[in-house]
Amino acid sequence: MTVVYFDSPMSDDDRRRKLFGGDLFVYSPTRHSLELVAFAREMAEEAFAPHFPPDAQHHLAGRAYVDVLAGLKPAFINHPRSKELVAGMLADLGADLAQTYFDVPRLRTMTSEYLNAGLTLQFESHRDTWFSAPMSQINFWMPVYDVEEANVMAFHPPYFANGVRNSSRDYNYGEWVAHGRTAAAQQIDTETRKQPEAEEEIQREPDIRVITPPGGILIFSGAQLHTTVPNTSGKTRFSIDFRAVNRRDVEERAGAANVDSGCTGTTLGDFLRATDLTQLPPELISSYDTVPA
């Protein structure tokens, strides 16, 4: 059974335990989530001017569209204001900022029956833990503009405790950072980079799709199997996501059960403490940094 909690007053410690068990949490927009969405809109609308960002795909050729994203996305990711607002969001949601570490917030763009590679890649069914994420990782997601059931994510709860045959055994995060991530802007019409994927048919229905207003927050475990719904809405979906871990969970190896992830390496070096943007201790990161057999 998967429970969806709405605006729960539960403590962060109890919430993480529920998330590690496969439940979902949804929150109304908070002060800082609305500010983060407004900041993303400001940057996107300036970058795509004179076109409204969700409609810009109908006005730009593929290369021109990707060129806009190649400037917009790193500018948003690396802006100090983005990190400041993420820390504020975590505080809004009751997280212990001294123990909480997050990675940079990413601005995602899922076009509608247009591009599907590189900076516009729409992910097939996967778990983040196939991509070298720790089992204690918690994901935060929110729409920037209005979304609908035809352009959000679908969760597949029956697979939370049941493994899926997949190719994560071939994935190492360090190799991806060195060779895969940097090639994103060169992927226009076809995705050629090798990433983890399911190697068996996924029963995708019934699924769970969560619709929130812009700035509404969806929280789920990095071990949740989920799929980017094929976007047939006619508009590009703009969303923001980031991940977080609690240091105690990392130290204690707490988290969701690993039912099928065989990847190597770790993303923990990307996480920054919400209070001062320092990394986790090097020895703690290295204890997760497995290498290919």
Side-chain angles (χ1 to χ4, degrees):
M1 178 179 68
T2 296
V3 178
V4 180
Y5 292 88
F6 179 70
D7 282 346
S8 171
M10 196 177 300
S11 72
D12 184 53
D13 287 344
D14 289 339
R15 180 173 59 209
R16 296 198 315 279
R17 301 291 84 76
K18 292 289 188 181
L19 289 162
F20 295 155
D23 292 336
L24 305 174
F25 283 75
V26 182
Y27 290 89
S28 300
T30 71
R31 171 195 159 195
H32 289 97
S33 73
L34 288 173
E35 289 185 26
L36 185 59
V37 162
F39 183 57
R41 285 185 176 186
E42 177 185 344
M43 294 186 73
E45 289 166 14
E46 179 179 351
F48 281 106
H51 309 299
F52 182 53
D55 297 330
Q57 68 168 78
H58 302 297
H59 303 281
L60 298 174
R63 178 74 262 179
Y65 190 90
V66 170
D67 285 345
V68 172
L69 295 182
L72 170 62
K73 290 194 172 187
F76 176 82
I77 288 170
N78 295 311
H79 200 290
R81 181 66 174 156
S82 297
K83 300 182 185 69
E84 176 186 329
L85 291 172
V86 166
M89 270 185 58
L90 290 167
D92 292 342
L93 295 169
D96 180 350
L97 299 191
Q99 290 291 325
T100 303
Y101 292 68
F102 65 87
D103 71 352
V104 291
R106 291 170 172 81
L107 182 63
R108 307 286 188 182
T109 48
M110 301 301 173
T111 61
S112 179
E113 301 174 292
Y114 180 39
L115 302 175
N116 186 7
L119 296 174
T120 61
L121 181 63
Q122 300 181 30
F123 285 90
E124 291 294 328
S125 302
H126 71 283
R127 309 181 202 268
D128 281 20
T129 52
W130 291 356
F131 293 76
S132 306
M135 302 308 297
S136 56
Q137 178 177 293
I138 301 299
N139 293 8
F140 295 74
W141 182 93
M142 74 203 75
V144 175
Y145 298 96
D146 288 327
V147 292
E148 58 185 79
E149 66 271 15
N151 63 8
V152 289
M153 291 182 293
F155 293 91
H156 313 291
Y159 291 99
F160 190 79
N162 296 291
V164 173
R165 190 168 65 253
N166 67 86
S167 62
S168 63
R169 61 186 174 278
D170 300 322
Y171 183 86
N172 177 272
Y173 183 64
E175 293 177 359
W176 171 256
V177 170
H179 306 293
R181 178 181 289 171
T182 54
Q186 281 68 57
Q187 313 278 302
I188 307 299
D189 298 308
T190 304
E191 179 65 43
T192 62
R193 298 171 299 168
K194 187 175 182 180
Q195 300 188 65
E197 59 185 5
E199 296 179 323
E200 63 178 272
E201 191 70 24
I202 300 295
Q203 186 67 43
R204 296 191 181 184
E205 296 181 352
D207 60 34
I208 295 177
R209 305 183 189 191
V210 176
I211 311 296
T212 75
I217 304 161
L218 168 63
I219 311 178
F220 58 99
S221 166
Q224 280 281 3
L225 188 73
H226 60 288
T227 306
T228 300
V229 174
N231 188 352
T232 58
S233 69
K235 295 182 178 292
T236 299
R237 184 252 282 174
F238 281 73
S239 59
I240 298 168
D241 62 71
F242 64 91
R243 287 88 172 177
V245 295
N246 181 282
R247 179 168 172 170
R248 289 189 298 271
D249 291 340
V250 176
E251 291 173 338
E252 296 170 6
R253 295 301 203 268
N258 184 357
V259 296
D260 59 14
S261 297
C263 51
T264 56
T266 182
T267 60
L268 279 175
D270 295 343
F271 288 77
L272 307 172
R273 186 161 58 184
T275 53
D276 57 11
L277 303 184
T278 57
Q279 290 181 303
L280 288 159
E283 62 274 12
L284 185 55
I285 297 171
S286 63
S287 72
Y288 277 78
D289 193 10
T290 52
V291 298

